[in-house]
């Protein structure tokens, strides 16, 4: 099984790491759209267009299965991706909601995500379709992504950001918090501490792995030949390589540059710039 995984950038490595741990026999092709991240502040149309381009790129790498690791793309572009891609596709939303249901649908449920994810109402609609009466709250935490990108995972700045976004919601005593963004699992410890031990945390990497255990292609017996892993990004691979090696705990991660069809070439950009300037 050759599994494609894409995200708007680095954050999807949280999903990839969980997938590699759970399904070491599979090969993985990861695409981070680092040139166009973040998706969480962009319009639905733009997120859908970028996401379809990412999916198309991964198809050129011969994938049999696609994991949309980005919660924003999962919220805004699943229908468009599914229409485009001939292989099975899994996003982050259904698996997280399944996990919440397996927990007994604890409420109130607090959903955390990017602005685009929260505004899309994708999680909220999914919850209502499974449990119409349940009480749910949702809040965007836009500063969490840059904090994680900077490697700031604990300390006073994280505490301030949590207080800024979450103080009002802590007073609602959520019994479950859904981490609806690729980056938030890296803040799981401070978030869990902030809400206290009575609040259960649901994150996408764990939920996606649980969901994929039900897929036949993910049950292959371990093979002797090691699986392959390929990494592509749409911007300079150097920083991604350093962070991926650190995050995945693997030396010598080879990262290549992906050229997505819609990214203008350098000469097109220059010509465009010249015609705008005259
Ligand atoms: N990957 C995005 C998500 O999970 C977070 C980063 C971004 O805004 O692009 O929603």
């Amino acid at each position: 099984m050759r599994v494609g995984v894409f995200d708007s950038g680095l954050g999807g490595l949280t999903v990839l790491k969980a997938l590699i741990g759970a399904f070491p026999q599979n090969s993985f092709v990861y695409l981070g759209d680092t040139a166009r991240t973040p998706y969480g502040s962009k319009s639905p149309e733009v997120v859908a267009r970028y996401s379809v381009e990412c999916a198309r790129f991964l198809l050129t790498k011969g994938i049999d299965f696609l994991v949309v690791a980005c919660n924003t793309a999962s919220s805004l572009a699943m229908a468009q991706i599914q229409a485009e891609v001939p292989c099975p596709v899994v996003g982050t939303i259904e698996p997280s909601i399944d996990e919440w249901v397996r927990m007994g649908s604890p409420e109130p449920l607090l959903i955390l995500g990017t602005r685009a994810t929260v505004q899309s109402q994708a999680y909220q609609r999914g919850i209502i379709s499974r449990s119409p009466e349940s009480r749910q709250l949702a809040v965007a935490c836009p500063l969490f992504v840059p904090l994680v990108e900077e490697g700031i995972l604990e300390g006073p700045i994280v505490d301030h950001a949590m207080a800024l976004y979450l103080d009002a919601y802590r007073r609602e005593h959520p019994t479950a918090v859904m981490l609806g963004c690729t980056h938030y699992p890296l803040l799981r410890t401070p978030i869990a501490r902030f809400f206290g031990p009575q609040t259960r945390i649901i994150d996408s990497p764990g939920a996606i792995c649980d969901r994929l255990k039900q897929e036949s292609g993910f049950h292959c017996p371990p093979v002797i030949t090691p699986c392959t892993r390929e990494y592509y990004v749409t911007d300079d691979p150097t920083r991604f390589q350093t962070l991926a090696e650190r995050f995945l705990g693997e030396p010598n991660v080879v990262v290549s540059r992906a050229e997505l069809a819609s990214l203008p070439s350098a000469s097109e950009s220059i010509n465009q710039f010249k015609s705008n300037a005259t």
Side-chain angles (χ1 to χ4, degrees), residues 7-9 11-12 36-41 69-73 92 113-114 117 145 149 180-184:
D7 178 45
S8 55
R36 305 188 291 190
T37 197
Y39 283 12
S41 53
C70 178
N71 301 68
T72 304
T92 58
T114 63
T117 294
V145 167
E149 295 272 334
C181 175
T182 45
H183 290 60
Y184 298 1

Side-chain angles (χ1 to χ4, degrees), residues 4-9 11-12 14-15 19 38-40 42-44 46-52 54-55 65-83 89-97 111-126 178-183 203-205 207-208 211:
V5 181
F6 86 82
D7 178 45
S8 55
T14 56
V15 175
L19 289 171
Y39 283 12
K42 297 200 166 61
S43 67
V46 167
V47 172
R49 178 156 57 83
Y50 289 178
S51 302
V52 166
C54 290
F65 199 101
L66 176 63
V67 175
V68 181
C70 178
N71 301 68
T72 304
S74 300
S75 299
L76 292 166
M78 278 308 276
Q80 291 90 331
I81 295 168
Q82 273 159 338
V89 186
V90 163
T92 58
I93 295 177
E94 285 308 318
S96 300
I97 295 175
I111 301 152
L112 312 184
T114 63
R115 257 196 206 105
T117 294
V118 170
Q119 282 171 2
S120 76
Q121 301 265 330
Y123 277 98
Q124 295 93 315
R125 277 199 307 272
M178 204 171 263
L179 306 182
C181 175
T182 45
H183 290 60
D203 66 24
S204 329
I208 288 180
R211 163 75 182 71

